[in-house]
Amino acid sequence: MTAMPVERLQADLNNSRPVARSVARSHVGLVRAINEDRVFDCAEAGVWAVADGMGGHAGGDLAAQAVVDRLRALTTGPRTIGFTDMLVALGQANGDIRQRNDRLGTDAGATVVAAMIDGSRAHIAWAGDSRAYRLRAGQVDLLTHDHSVVQELVDAGLLAAEAAERHPQAHVVTRALGVDDDPRLQTTVVEFLPGDRLLLCSDGLSRSLTGHVGEGELGLIADQMLAGALCRDGSDNISLILAEFTGLA
């Protein structure tokens, strides 16, 4: 399976000036039989999300798709939407996944990281170990904090951060959509400058991400990130969205 490029452009309706553009990539990896990741890339509305499904043939891919379906329904309407609307949509996706699990006797779920831009700010919500980063002048700054067993061990001083990826419970998350009635989304707001880039990704990419990313054309950088993740690991599905802030109102 090859990567699936998606390119969008958001327009400032007041003066037709582009304020953000984005590309998305998703790859099954080198080991898995199916791609349980899903990406939602809607620069027109300034909304993006990466969902990493859990459950394999029990429906992890469908759990991740439920996130995309709810966000697509949110952004296709005529009204202006806000961050609260996005949180409601993610909560509805959580309910959709739980209803399917109850109906079929499955235990599928999905980690998620979602973002919405508002002027010079990015509002970010997440559950699990899907991550958001800010890229500025080649430097990579992590904006989210994993909800995982190993992160709790690191926070408690019981595990070195460098050893986290090699821990036998490295893939065990403590929050995800579809697991509880309350999705327990964590949120943050981050300031962005023109030229900054927002990276959303599943753990298939973040495990291979270095602290510095080269500068260049958006699609080229996304391709390089994907290729690097496949070269360094490739044992999991790999998904990313890279959004560039070109001029913020």
Side-chain angles (χ1 to χ4, degrees), residues 191-208:
E191 290 288 334
F192 277 73
L193 300 175
D196 284 352
R197 288 169 171 178
L198 171 68
L199 171 65
L200 305 181
C201 65
S202 62
D203 64 335
L205 180 79
S206 61
R207 286 199 303 271
S208 303

Side-chain angles (χ1 to χ4, degrees), residues 67-78:
V67 176
V68 170
D69 291 344
R70 283 294 184 176
L71 291 176
R72 180 176 292 116
L74 175 68
T75 56
T76 52

Side-chain angles (χ1 to χ4, degrees), residues 8-12 17-21 42-48 117:
R8 308 285 187 189
L9 183 67
Q10 178 187 348
D12 182 334
R17 177 174 56 87
V19 296
R21 56 188 177 184
C42 187
E44 305 95 294
V47 177
W48 302 274
I117 59 169

Side-chain angles (χ1 to χ4, degrees), residues 21-44:
R21 56 188 177 184
S22 58
V23 297
R25 303 287 187 266
S26 189
H27 197 288
V28 70
L30 304 177
V31 175
R32 302 293 180 91
I34 61 173
N35 191 347
E36 294 182 273
D37 287 357
R38 294 292 185 272
V39 296
F40 182 72
D41 177 21
C42 187
E44 305 95 294

Side-chain angles (χ1 to χ4, degrees), residues 96-134:
D96 294 340
I97 299 167
R98 288 187 60 75
Q99 288 178 13
R100 181 181 181 276
N101 285 341
D102 291 343
R103 186 173 69 253
L104 300 180
T106 55
D107 59 356
T111 70
V112 65
V113 59
M116 172 181 286
I117 59 169
D118 174 18
S120 63
R121 298 171 298 178
H123 297 262
I124 302 168
W126 74 99
D129 58 1
S130 292
R131 293 181 177 180
Y133 296 85
R134 181 177 58 196

